[in-house]
């Protein structure tokens, strides 16, 4: 009997191969997309949960009146461990600089984190080589990634080998890391003992009870009362923070909160992925159900004959389930190929290195189980609904072919499902257009500085002899001073689009109540000139006037002046909250967008970084950007004469401005793909339904033509219902799309306005596409010879 089910199923699917093909297309594309989205959701909801003691791991957050953030002061860990018995162990996870590791003439550098000895006991990061319990106990021990290990040592086990660190110290390799999971908030290539960093004077000078730049993690005892522990934190903060930090608190948060505090939009990405996956499943299910139900009416006599010959409802259901199951299994296989070869690589490109999807059949069995469950459910529904309906039909009417009135009773269900499909497709299309227009707006908006004629050279090349490099670099700057193609240049620690998240509280010299949070950093003379930033009051830095650093000159922006409540700023003095050193404002910059337009321009302060010299960046403004390659070639030739570990690199300021929105392009591509997918599936379904409708009304069309109906009357007869459904979908979808567009745009400080004509254009496009889809089959039916039509069964 089972063989007969499959034999009949294959015959039926081949007989209706157009509809089988449409189902395969929609299901394979849809299931591939749903599978990738489920993978992303799985990675997201299991973020940082792979550690064996996840429930015991907490991070120390700083709590302020503006909210919480994940960094805290460096000395807090030792004090917490000493004070509270609830803490079993703790560790810093501190970045400061990346170590250069050398071995027999080879150099390698990776993302370096300085940690305490218990780090690998608290967190479950597996080692390919080495003992995690002892790997970091020695002050001059080092744990490296597998990639760095292979670049220095090849395929051999390097544990026990001695390497040079920054050319001055010898460290022993004590471990090699296995690949770190993509959904880990802690990512690194090198681990070194925190004791080594604490001996660095520049670090020690900042590692106080004021500067919050440390990531600190605690492992609490299994029986610890976390709520009780948290209640002790206000008293702890009051006892250890100075009077200037009376408003600063300490919060103990579960490890899983790290990603959501660091990136508040992450949970919305997960919700969005779930919503989109749900939409796609709904669309493909509707399509399959509509086509299967419509085709079922052509099989009414078959079901009636089965019943007359003794078939039970169970046997009829098994026949329909078998057919649906074959289509869905074939679709699943096609979807896996499509996902692995195209969707996953595209998704990873869209993520731009953040939480990449790396497929692992062993780890991703959950996704396969979910997909299998979804497919089984769809197969059961798609097979059950038409089978149950046909089973209820009167045998006499069915055998006589009297089904028109009976079949029509279910038309409202099919119409409702078609409208739902088109509403989703319409809303997603509006969403894709909105995202694209917003990205274009941000790329084309004037950022408040001139970027078109500026090239930027990266000068932090890790020179092997800093003293000699400074002397040689000065000759490069002298050459630029003499170059007639160069209008201006500046060396600085940052450039627009690459500003650090470096903040401090500032207040007027003689006031204690007016505190303003500034983003602050150093820049050189002619920064404003090089980037065309308008100085609205005072002047910018000058190597002649400010070279002695007298009065600690600073330049602020308009937002800073407004936040301080000043109408004029030049000559006024500021101090940081954590020290008594006084800074004198010598100029005010017009507000400019030094970061994405998504965020509001914050109060900004530049301090004088000293005369031009080696810094992170050398920005060069040219009279003619066409001369950029020649100027850069000359600079590159001179910089290559300075021994360095990193290669020469440069970029155009315009490219940097545009590229900061590349992640938005990724969002647009995802929404655009889903929109296109939903449109393809929806219209493929409509094409199948109009084809079926035309076939079912073949004799009616022939009679109408014999009685004098023209081609366009026949086309109108067959098309009007579908066109009406699209109009209804546009009417229903417009307010839904508007709500999405409004809420999405409100996440941007600077955004486009809502253009109502877009709704009309998308609706018109949907109508035209529907007319083309249904019109093709309608015209084909209308042009059929009525003699052939009247001979139709």
């Amino acid at each position: 009997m089972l063989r007969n089910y499959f034999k009949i199923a294959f015959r039926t699917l081949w007989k209706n191969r157009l509809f089988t093909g449409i189902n395969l297309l929609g299901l394979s594309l849809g299931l591939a997309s749903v599978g990738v989205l489920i993978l992303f959701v799985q990675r997201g909801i299991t973020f940082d949960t792979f550690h064996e003691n996840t429930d015991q791991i907490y991070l120390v957050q700083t709590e302020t009146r503006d909210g919480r953030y994940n960094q805290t002061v460096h000395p807090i860990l030792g004090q917490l461990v000493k004070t509270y018995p609830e803490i079993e162990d703790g560790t810093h996870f501190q970045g400061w600089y990346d170590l250069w590791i050398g071995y027999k003439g080879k150099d390698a550098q990776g993302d370096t984190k300085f940690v305490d000895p218990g780090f690998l006991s608290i967190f479950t990061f597996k080692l390919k080589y080495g003992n995690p319990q002892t790997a970091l106990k020695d002050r001059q021990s080092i744990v490296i990634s597998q990639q760095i290990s292979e670049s220095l040592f090849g395929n051999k086990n390097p544990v026990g080998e001695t390497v040079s660190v920054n050319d001055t110290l010898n460290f022993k390799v004590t471990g090699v890391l296995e690949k770190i999971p993509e959904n880990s908030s802690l990512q690194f290539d090198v681990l070194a003992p925190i004791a080594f960093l604490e001996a660095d004077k520049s670090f020690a000078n900042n590692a106080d009870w004021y500067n919050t730049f440390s990531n600190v993690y605690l492992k609490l005892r299994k029986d610890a009362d976390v709520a009780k522990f948290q209640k002790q934190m206000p008293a702890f903060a009051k006892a250890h923070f100075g009077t200037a930090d009376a408003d600063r608190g300490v919060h103990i948060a579960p490890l899983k909160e790290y990603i959501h505090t660091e990136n508040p939009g992450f949970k919305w990405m997960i919700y969005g992925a779930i919503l989109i996956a749900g939409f796609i499943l709904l669309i493909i299910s509707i399509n399959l159900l509509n086509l299967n139900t419509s085709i079922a009416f052509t099989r009414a006599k078959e079901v009636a004959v089965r019943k007359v010959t003794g078939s039970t409802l169970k046997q009829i259901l098994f026949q329909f389930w078998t057919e649906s199951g074959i289509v869905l299994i074939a679709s699943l296989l096609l979807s896996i190929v499509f996902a692995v070869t195209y969707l996953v690589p595209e998704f990873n490109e869209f993520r731009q290195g953040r939480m990449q999807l790396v497929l692992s059949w062993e780890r991703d069995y959950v996704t396969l189980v979910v997909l299998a469950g979804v497919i089984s459910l769809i197969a059961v529904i798609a097979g059950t609904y038409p089978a149950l309906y046909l089973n209820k039909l009167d045998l006499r009417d069915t055998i006589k072919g009297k089904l028109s009135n009976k079949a029509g009773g279910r038309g409202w269900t099919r119409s409702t499902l078609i409208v739902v499909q088109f509403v989703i497709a319409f809303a997603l299309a509006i969403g894709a257009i909105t995202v694209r227009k917003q990205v274009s707006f941000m790329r084309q908006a004037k950022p408040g500085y001139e970027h078109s004629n500026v090239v930027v050279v990266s000068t932090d090349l890790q020179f092997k002899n800093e003293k000699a490099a400074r002397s040689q670099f000065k000759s490069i700057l002298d050459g630029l001073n003499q170059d007639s193609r160069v209008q201006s240049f500046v060396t600085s620690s940052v450039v627009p689009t690459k500003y650090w998240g470096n903040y401090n509280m500032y207040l007027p010299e003689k006031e204690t109540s007016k505190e303003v949070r500034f983003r602050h950093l150093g820049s050189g003379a002619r920064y404003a000139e090089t980037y065309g930033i308008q100085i609205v009051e005072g002047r910018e830095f000058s190597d002649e006037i400010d070279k002695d650093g007298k009065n600690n000159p600073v330049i602020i922006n308009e937002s800073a002046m407004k936040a301080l409540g000043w109408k004029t700023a030049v000559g006024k003095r500021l101090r940081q909250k954590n020290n008594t050193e006084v800074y004198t404002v010598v100029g005010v910059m017009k507000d400019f967008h030094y970061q994405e337009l998504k965020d509001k321009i914050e109060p900004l302060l530049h301090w004088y970084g000293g005369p031009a010299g080696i810094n992170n960046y050398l920005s060069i403004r040219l009279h003619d950007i066409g001369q950029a390659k020649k100027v850069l070639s000359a600079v590159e030739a001179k910089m290559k004469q300075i021994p360095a570990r990193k290669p020469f690199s440069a970029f155009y300021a315009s490219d940097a401005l545009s590229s900061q929105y590349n992640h938005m392009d990724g969002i647009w591509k995802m929404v655009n793909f889903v929109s296109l997918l939903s449109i393809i599936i929806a219209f493929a379904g409509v094409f199948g339904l109009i084809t079926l409708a035309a076939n079912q009304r073949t004799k009616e069309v022939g009679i109408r033509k014999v009685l004098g109906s023209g081609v366009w009357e026949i086309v109108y007869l067959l098309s009007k219902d579908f066109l009406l459904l699209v109009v209804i979908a546009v009417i229903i979808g417009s307010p839904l799309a508007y709500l999405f567009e409004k809420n999405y745009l409100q996440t941007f400080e600077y955004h486009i306005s809502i253009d109502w004509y877009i709704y009309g254009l998308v609706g018109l496009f949907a109508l035209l596409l529907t007319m083309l889809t249904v019109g093709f089959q309608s015209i084909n039916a209308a042009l059929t010879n009525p003699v052939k039509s009247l001979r139709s069964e």
Side-chain angles (χ1 to χ4, degrees):
M1 191 65 188
L2 184 62
R3 185 177 65 180
N4 287 333
Y5 284 138
F6 280 101
K7 184 188 294 185
I8 295 170
F10 280 115
R11 284 178 179 173
T12 304
L13 293 173
W14 178 251
K15 180 182 177 182
N16 299 295
R17 49 189 175 273
L18 172 64
F19 309 105
T20 303
I22 291 172
N23 279 335
L24 279 173
L25 173 68
L27 287 169
S28 57
L29 292 176
L31 289 175
S33 304
V34 170
V36 172
L37 289 170
I38 291 175
L39 276 175
F40 174 73
V41 170
Q42 179 199 0
R43 298 287 193 277
I45 61 179
T46 60
F47 216 93
D48 282 330
T49 60
F50 60 90
H51 301 290
E52 293 178 2
N53 304 306
T54 299
D55 294 339
Q56 293 175 255
I57 303 174
Y58 289 78
L59 64 138
V60 182
Q61 295 178 326
T62 298
E63 199 165 28
T64 68
R65 59 190 176 191
D66 298 320
R68 296 176 192 159
Y69 56 94
N70 290 329
Q71 288 70 42
T72 184
V73 296
H74 181 79
I76 198 171
L77 175 61
Q79 195 62 45
L80 284 171
V81 172
K82 185 170 65 175
T83 307
Y84 299 104
E86 293 95 331
I87 301 173
E88 184 177 312
D89 202 353
T91 182
H92 295 91
F93 184 72
Q94 183 64 56
W96 195 252
Y97 54 79
D98 295 332
L99 298 176
W100 278 99
I101 305 167
Y103 182 76
K104 293 185 178 180
K106 296 179 181 178
D107 277 335
Q109 186 186 44
D111 181 12
T112 303
K113 293 296 185 287
F114 298 91
V115 298
D116 289 87
F119 178 81
L120 290 173
S121 298
I122 297 172
F123 296 99
T124 311
F125 292 111
K126 296 180 181 179
L127 296 185
K128 183 177 181 180
Y129 302 116
N131 183 348
Q133 304 299 321
T134 59
L136 293 165
K137 286 191 175 180
D138 187 348
R139 177 173 170 171
Q140 288 183 252
S141 57
I142 194 167
V143 175
I144 58 178
S145 68
Q146 189 171 341
Q147 184 178 0
I148 291 178
S149 174
E150 289 174 358
S151 69
L152 295 177
F153 303 98
N155 294 322
K156 76 173 186 178
N157 179 356
V159 171
E161 295 286 349
T162 299
V163 296
S164 64
V165 171
N166 293 346
D167 295 329
T168 58
L169 297 170
N170 290 326
F171 274 55
K172 183 177 287 187
V173 178
T174 53
V176 176
L177 293 155
E178 290 188 2
K179 183 174 174 55
I180 297 173
E182 305 81 27
N183 57 343
S184 170
S185 58
L186 281 66
Q187 297 287 337
F188 49 90
D189 300 305
V190 177
L191 292 176
I194 193 71
F196 171 72
L197 180 62
E198 288 171 339
D200 185 301
K201 288 185 179 180
S202 65
F203 176 80
N205 290 337
N206 288 278
D208 54 22
W209 282 87
Y210 179 79
N211 292 305
T212 54
F213 54 73
S214 289
N215 288 301
V216 171
Y217 296 89
L218 306 174
K219 181 182 178 183
L220 302 186
R221 299 188 185 281
K222 288 185 178 180
D223 58 350
D225 186 336
V226 180
K228 182 180 177 182
F229 181 42
Q230 177 59 53
K231 288 179 180 178
Q232 300 176 77
M233 289 302 101
F236 176 87
K238 186 176 181 181
H240 293 91
F241 290 140
T243 54
D245 302 313
D247 60 342
R248 183 186 291 180
V250 177
H251 184 76
I252 308 301
L255 175 62
K256 62 184 179 182
E257 285 189 16
Y258 180 95
I259 183 64
H260 299 294
T261 304
E262 200 73 12
N263 182 7
F266 186 70
K267 65 179 178 181
W268 298 113
M269 290 187 66
I270 295 174
Y271 294 155
I274 294 172
L275 186 64
I276 290 174
F279 280 161
I280 295 173
L281 279 176
L282 183 60
I283 289 172
I284 61 177
S285 300
I286 287 173
N287 221 44
L288 184 65
L289 191 60
N290 269 345
L291 287 175
N292 279 12
T293 304
S294 298
I295 293 171
F297 291 119
T298 65
R299 302 177 64 186
K301 284 187 179 180
E302 174 194 338
V303 173
V305 171
R306 281 174 173 271
K307 290 175 66 177
V308 168
T309 55
S311 289
T312 63
L313 174 60
K314 180 180 178 181
Q315 290 173 316
I316 295 171
L317 283 171
F318 267 110
Q319 183 62 60
F320 278 79
W321 286 342
T322 302
E323 292 167 15
S324 296
I326 290 171
V327 172
L328 284 161
I329 291 171
S331 300
L332 176 62
L333 296 175
L334 290 173
S335 70
I336 290 173
V337 174
F338 180 59
V340 171
T341 59
Y342 178 77
L343 279 188
V344 170
E346 283 293 309
F347 187 87
N348 286 340
E349 184 180 343
F350 140 61
R351 291 291 297 164
Q352 295 186 332
R354 298 161 296 173
M355 202 178 80
Q356 299 287 278
L357 292 183
V358 179
L359 295 175
S360 167
W361 300 115
E362 181 181 355
R363 181 179 54 179
D364 296 327
Y365 69 91
V366 174
T367 302
L368 291 176
V369 169
V370 171
L371 276 180
V374 168
I375 288 169
S376 300
L377 181 62
I378 293 174
V380 169
I381 293 174
T384 302
Y385 182 77
L388 289 177
Y389 177 66
L390 292 178
N391 186 66
K392 290 180 181 179
L393 295 177
D394 186 273
L395 282 175
R396 292 167 297 178
D397 289 342
T398 304
I399 293 174
K400 290 177 182 179
K402 297 180 180 180
L403 281 174
S404 57
N405 292 333
K406 305 279 185 182
R410 296 289 174 174
W412 67 269
T413 305
R414 186 188 66 187
S415 299
T416 301
L417 295 176
I418 291 173
V419 169
V420 171
Q421 270 188 314
F422 277 103
V423 165
I424 294 172
F426 177 80
L428 287 172
I430 293 292
I433 293 171
T434 301
V435 174
R436 188 60 181 171
K437 283 172 67 68
Q438 178 62 22
V439 174
S440 297
F441 162 75
M442 292 192 294
R443 279 207 168 102
Q444 295 168 11
K446 293 182 178 180
Y449 64 91
E450 296 296 330
H451 53 84
S452 55
N453 280 14
V454 179
V455 291
V456 183
V457 177
S458 297
T459 52
D460 182 18
L461 303 185
Q462 303 287 305
F463 298 110
K464 294 184 177 180
N465 187 327
E466 287 287 338
K467 185 176 180 181
R470 280 194 294 270
S471 176
Q472 290 175 271
F473 192 73
K474 186 177 183 304
S475 68
I476 296 175
L477 300 180
D478 291 339
L480 290 174
N481 263 325
Q482 303 300 320
D483 195 329
S484 61
R485 298 168 297 188
V486 176
Q487 181 178 334
S488 178
F489 67 86
V490 65
T491 59
S492 56
S493 55
V494 297
V495 293
T497 72
K498 299 184 184 296
Y499 271 55
W500 306 330
N502 191 19
Y503 295 90
N504 205 340
M505 301 299 292
Y506 283 80
L507 59 163
E509 180 186 11
K510 296 182 180 179
E511 295 183 36
T512 56
S513 58
K514 191 67 174 179
E515 295 179 2
V516 176
R517 186 171 180 258
F518 279 73
R519 186 190 289 256
H520 64 165
L521 45 97
S523 67
R526 299 198 291 179
Y527 186 87
E529 178 187 344
T530 302
Y531 279 100
I533 301 168
Q534 184 182 346
I535 299 294
V536 295
E537 185 183 356
R539 62 174 177 84
E540 68 169 316
F541 299 129
S542 166
D543 287 337
E544 288 73 29
I545 301 173
D546 301 315
K547 61 183 177 182
D548 58 359
K550 187 179 179 180
N551 295 326
N552 291 325
V554 297
I555 297 174
I556 63 175
N557 66 352
E558 291 177 305
S559 292
M561 187 167 68
K562 290 175 185 175
L564 289 164
W566 294 344
K567 292 184 179 179
T568 181
V570 172
K572 294 192 176 180
R573 292 152 69 86
L574 293 166
R575 65 178 178 85
Q576 294 178 348
K577 188 176 179 180
N578 62 322
N579 62 57
T580 57
E581 193 167 7
V582 177
Y583 301 85
T584 303
V585 179
V586 298
V588 178
M589 297 179 289
K590 189 175 181 61
D591 279 344
F592 67 97
H593 295 282
Y594 48 85
Q595 54 191 1
E596 295 180 22
L597 269 72
K598 185 179 187 299
D599 304 307
K600 187 178 181 180
I601 297 176
E602 299 171 310
L604 175 67
L605 179 145
H606 284 191
W607 66 76
Y608 179 55
I614 294 178
N615 214 316
N616 290 337
Y617 300 101
L618 166 62
S619 303
I620 307 170
R621 170 168 289 281
L622 303 168
H623 292 288
D624 179 7
I625 196 64
Q627 298 292 328
K629 288 185 179 179
K630 292 181 180 179
V631 173
L632 286 175
S633 294
V635 173
E636 180 179 6
K638 292 180 180 179
M639 289 193 69
K640 282 185 174 179
Q641 296 174 12
I642 311 175
R645 292 186 176 89
K646 290 184 178 179
F648 177 87
S649 65
F651 57 88
Y652 291 87
S654 297
D655 291 344
L657 176 65
S658 180
S659 65
Q660 69 177 337
Y661 298 113
N662 284 350
H663 68 284
M664 294 287 298
D665 282 336
I667 295 173
W668 174 75
K669 285 178 182 177
M670 185 177 74
V671 177
N672 197 45
F673 173 80
V674 174
S675 303
L676 185 62
L677 175 66
S678 63
I679 290 169
I680 289 173
I681 294 173
F683 280 99
V686 168
F687 181 79
L689 290 173
I690 188 62
T691 302
L692 188 65
N695 291 339
Q696 289 176 334
R697 302 176 73 174
T698 301
K699 187 173 286 186
E700 177 191 348
V701 169
I703 293 171
R704 285 179 179 274
K705 288 190 71 177
V706 169
L707 295 176
S709 293
V711 171
W712 293 111
E713 289 177 301
I714 302 296
V715 171
Y716 173 74
L717 173 72
L718 296 175
S719 306
K720 63 178 181 178
D721 292 340
F722 292 100
L723 293 173
L724 178 61
L725 294 179
V726 173
V727 172
I728 293 172
V730 170
I731 293 172
I732 296 173
S734 292
L736 296 177
Y738 170 77
L739 287 175
F740 161 79
E741 189 175 14
K742 182 181 178 182
N743 290 328
Y744 172 73
L745 292 176
Q746 283 179 345
T747 63
F748 295 87
E749 187 67 30
Y750 309 92
H751 56 76
I752 59 173
S753 57
I754 296 175
D755 297 319
W756 286 102
Y757 71 88
I758 296 295
Y759 293 75
L761 289 177
V762 174
L764 182 61
F765 176 76
L767 280 171
L768 290 174
L769 202 55
T770 306
M771 290 174 66
L772 287 173
T773 304
V774 301
F776 174 78
Q777 279 299 96
S778 299
I779 292 172
N780 186 49
L783 292 176
T784 303
N785 189 331
V787 175
K788 292 183 178 179
S789 301
L790 293 172
R791 287 176 180 173
S792 172
E793 185 64 31

